[in-house]
Amino acid sequence: MSKKVSILLIYTGGTIGMIKDYPSGTLKAFNFKKLVSNIRELSQLDCNIKSISFKKPIDSSNMNPKHWASIATIIEKHYDDYDGFVVLQGSDTMSYSSSALSYMLENLRKPVIFTGSQLPIGDLRTDAKENLITSIQIAALQENNHPVIQEVCLYFEYKLYRANRTTKINAEHFEAFTSLNFPPLVESGVHLKINHNYLLKNQKRKKFTVHKTMDTNVAIFKLFPGFSRELLRGILNIPNLKALVLETYGAGNAPTDEWLLADMKEAIKKGLHIVNVTQCSGGSVIMGRYSTSKELKKIQLIDGGDITSEAAITKLMYLLGSGVSHKSFRTIFETSLRGELTQN
Ligand code: ASP
């Protein structure tokens, strides 16, 4: 008889585990272990479930790379004892955390599924139960005694996505996330439909390695019509800034003003990495397609392709934190490390 699959729930905070404080009506964090023990449905699942909670659960707006490292440490510590991990956190910064974890956990061969909810688990109309239960079921899926999912994912409202392809697009709807440049890995209907062709398959022989150093000397600048030279200069001259995500228009376009190109060229010459990422939620940067991006290519902006801003900024933190050399930085950034971009 094969042994029961074990899943570790890691509760970091967020709406899912909150309760309404009466009479004020404000949502506040609750004892998650107590909460989990009150969800009868969990005992019906055919797997062993244990949970571990952040000492002080937080709203995900307060998350930073230290919290990401704490999640990575918990997974590292328990990697051999569990078949899969479900991380519960608030949805607000979930695409950032889960993208970050996708880089931090190298050669992952087990599922790490981030989920949360728009309404607390105790609420009558909650979306938390479906999100939690299906995440656990997907994390527990096995084929020939190996986990089906071997990457960091995000599950919300009937869809499992590759985490580093997602963006939060709605603060009201239960369908809070989208992944416009990569199809869902699993769709939950009457059956779980697994899109096997899209799953990341890690090589067996490579050792699972956890990276916890993230360098936060990075920034994002979203272009808007009318931005001033002073503003751009202010950003490019931030002390210690090492890399910048430039959110450009459409297929990677920017104004053709000479000062703009000259200031960026100068910053790149001084060692700043500038990545061209489109501010559209779907589609890709194609530098050179329009005359408004031809010059950006000439001054050596890094091509972000179809990466999201969330996956780009965390990738910069990870590469800078890993001490990647200046010479190979562009090539490594433009290479898909965890399926975060489409490589031509
Ligand atoms: N503000 C909450 C958080 O991100 C929202 C949620 O739980 O989805 O922690």
Side-chain angles (χ1 to χ4, degrees):
M1 212 177 71
S2 61
K3 135 180 169 305
K4 258 196 181 181
V5 169
S6 306
I7 302 296
L8 182 63
L9 294 183
I10 304 168
Y11 177 62
T12 69
T15 308
I16 190 163
M18 293 183 177
I19 54 160
K20 255 197 192 141
D21 193 26
Y22 288 103
S24 70
T26 15
L27 289 171
K28 61 169 199 192
F30 190 64
N31 178 331
F32 190 72
K33 276 219 164 96
K34 227 176 178 172
L35 209 123
V36 164
S37 61
N38 282 324
I39 307 170
R40 267 182 300 127
E41 290 88 338
L42 292 183
S43 60
Q44 292 165 22
L45 291 169
D46 189 26
C47 50
N48 294 320
I49 303 167
K50 288 262 160 51
S51 71
I52 194 164
S53 173
F54 270 18
K55 265 203 192 95
K56 204 173 159 275
I58 50 169
D59 186 292
S60 79
S61 303
N62 282 322
M63 275 219 172
N64 60 47
K66 280 195 191 124
H67 300 101
W68 303 339
S70 302
I71 300 171
T73 304
I74 294 173
I75 295 173
E76 181 180 36
K77 201 166 148 208
H78 297 280
Y79 192 71
D80 294 331
D81 307 327
Y82 291 89
D83 301 290
F85 302 86
V86 174
V87 182
L88 298 153
Q89 80 150 76
S91 59
D92 288 351
T93 64
M94 195 186 282
S95 290
Y96 291 93
S97 325
S98 55
S99 295
L101 263 293
S102 77
Y103 304 120
M104 294 165 110
L105 307 176
E106 190 180 2
N107 300 321
L108 183 66
R109 298 211 54 229
K110 296 187 178 185
V112 173
I113 301 180
F114 277 73
T115 195
S117 64
Q118 297 278 55
L119 285 175
I121 204 147
D123 198 289
L124 260 188
R125 294 177 50 252
T126 190
D127 51 331
K129 279 194 186 168
E130 199 285 319
N131 286 346
L132 175 60
I133 290 166
T134 312
S135 294
I136 297 173
Q137 278 187 324
I138 295 175
L141 289 174
Q142 298 255 322
E143 248 168 36
N144 305 324
N145 289 325
H146 290 298
V148 171
I149 308 294
Q150 304 188 3
E151 57 182 299
V152 181
C153 298
L154 186 156
Y155 183 82
F156 233 84
E157 196 60 8
Y158 304 108
K159 289 197 182 85
L160 182 82
Y161 300 110
R162 175 164 302 148
N164 55 34
R165 292 295 196 149
T166 62
T167 302
K168 182 169 180 182
I169 42 136
N170 207 303
E172 161 72 20
H173 294 166
F174 287 146
E175 197 169 348
F177 290 88
T178 191
S179 160
L180 289 178
N181 287 336
F182 203 75
L185 303 177
V186 179
E187 288 162 88
S188 163
V190 173
H191 301 288
L192 289 178
K193 182 173 168 264
I194 305 165
N195 296 319
H196 285 275
N197 291 344
Y198 299 123
L199 302 179
L200 213 60
K201 290 273 176 260
N202 286 315
Q203 287 169 17
K204 275 190 202 134
R205 272 167 289 131
K206 292 202 170 158
K207 196 174 169 288
F208 173 59
T209 313
V210 181
H211 306 270
K212 294 177 202 164
T213 314
M214 302 293 259
D215 189 330
T216 53
N217 287 302
V218 294
I220 300 182
F221 177 45
K222 180 174 182 165
L223 298 187
F224 60 90
F227 71 87
S228 67
R229 187 171 196 180
E230 290 70 44
L231 176 61
L232 179 72
R233 280 195 163 167
I235 293 167
L236 296 176
N237 291 319
I238 293 171
N240 297 326
L241 185 71
K242 296 179 187 154
L244 175 72
V245 170
L246 188 75
E247 280 198 5
T248 53
Y249 308 126
N253 307 316
T256 47
D257 302 78
E258 262 171 35
W259 59 261
L260 173 67
L261 294 162
D263 288 357
M264 285 202 294
K265 196 173 168 183
E266 170 81 15
I268 292 170
K269 216 167 90 195
K270 284 192 190 149
L272 185 72
H273 303 287
I274 307 183
V275 187
N276 189 351
V277 175
T278 173
Q279 47 184 258
C280 299
S281 2
S284 179
V285 162
I286 309 172
M287 280 198 282
R289 177 165 178 183
Y290 291 91
S291 56
T292 42
S293 68
K294 216 174 83 206
E295 295 304 316
L296 300 180
K297 193 174 181 172
K298 270 200 201 145
I299 62 163
Q300 301 264 301
L301 253 67
I302 298 175
D303 190 342
D306 63 355
I307 200 167
T308 61
S309 289
E310 291 90 334
I313 195 83
T314 49
K315 189 171 185 175
L316 289 176
M317 291 184 194
Y318 163 68
L319 294 182
L320 292 167
S322 307
V324 165
S325 76
H326 200 270
K327 216 171 122 219
S328 44
F329 200 90
R330 159 199 298 281
T331 314
I332 301 185
F333 192 95
E334 291 178 354
T335 305
S336 167
L337 302 180
R338 313 279 192 266
E340 71 281 6
L341 52 83
T342 308
Q343 234 174 315
N344 301 314

